[in-house]
Amino acid sequence: MSEADFAGRGTTPLVLTIPGLNSSGPTHWQSIWERTRGDCDRVDLGMWASPRRNSWVTKLDHAIKMAPAPVILVAHSLGCLAVAWWAALEGQPYGWPVAGALLVAPPDCDRNDACQAVGGFGPVPKVSLPFPSVVVASRDDPYASIDRSHSMAKFWGSHFVDVGALGHINAESDVGAWLFGQRLLDRLIASANDRARMPPGDRSSAGPWSLYPPVAAPGPEHSGTRG
């Protein structure tokens, strides 16, 4: 499928979820989205307990190339680093075939106390991602400080969202279906569809936040409650 095909058909992007170390269990918001949304498919990167950077990047690249529609990536934890490394090693024209990415709780793989599996994805690639992206971080994430998370977002040219104290934004964070995250994802999907209808020369300047009113800042209604 070419970019022209996407623009002509108005195809809604496919959402590929990319878990982190040890994958995402049944109560993780990624797993819940896969069961309930109808537009999410998990990328089987394999070697979940002992990941290797190049293997994950290769499998992610295969999943992207095999997708029958443009792709929105939804990565959690170490999956975010797989996405960043894919962009650094494989690359693409801006916004195609990956039309956007939601990157949640990326770990700091450059920390001295990072476990071997996480440290193997270092150093954090300092490359602007060739698609609109959003980095979501928590103020009490044990795997990355909020300042380091913000730095990674700057490296990648991503919009940054601070959701307050939600730990590693995983099953233990008790966010259930994580409705706020779904609002961010829906924004990326809507923006991708709108960009596809724009003249090619205008698409790179239209990020996910330029076409719609801002998403409300995180608050008590979703910061720790089940959706």
Side-chain angles (χ1 to χ4, degrees), residues 159-208:
H159 184 83
F160 182 72
V161 177
D162 174 351
V163 293
L166 277 182
H168 196 43
I169 318 180
N170 54 10
E172 286 70 33
S173 301
D174 197 34
V175 294
W178 196 33
L179 299 183
F180 179 72
Q182 293 196 58
R183 288 164 60 194
L184 295 176
L185 172 57
D186 290 340
R187 170 73 62 84
L188 282 164
I189 292 172
S191 181
N193 282 323
D194 283 351
R195 282 197 315 277
R197 291 188 286 269
M198 292 179 175
D202 295 339
R203 292 173 188 166
S204 63
S205 62

Side-chain angles (χ1 to χ4, degrees), residues 141-152:
D141 190 333
Y143 302 107
S145 69
I146 194 69
D147 288 341
R148 181 60 169 163
S149 299
H150 189 233
S151 293
M152 286 187 276

Side-chain angles (χ1 to χ4, degrees), residues 50-138:
S50 54
R52 297 293 183 270
R53 185 190 74 188
N54 289 349
S55 174
W56 272 24
V57 169
T58 297
K59 291 186 177 183
L60 176 57
D61 183 60
H62 178 74
I64 291 169
K65 289 178 177 176
M66 293 299 293
V71 170
I72 300 288
L73 303 175
V74 174
H76 177 253
S77 193
L78 197 57
C80 300
L81 273 299
V83 171
W85 275 112
W86 176 83
L89 297 174
E90 301 293 338
Q92 64 165 33
Y94 188 85
W96 182 265
V98 176
L102 180 63
L103 307 172
V104 181
D108 183 1
C109 57
D110 296 332
R111 277 172 39 165
N112 292 333
D113 61 349
C115 70
Q116 182 176 358
V118 173
F121 280 68
V124 172
K126 298 180 180 180
V127 56
S128 183
L129 303 179
F131 40 78
S133 57
V134 182
V135 168
V136 181
S138 165

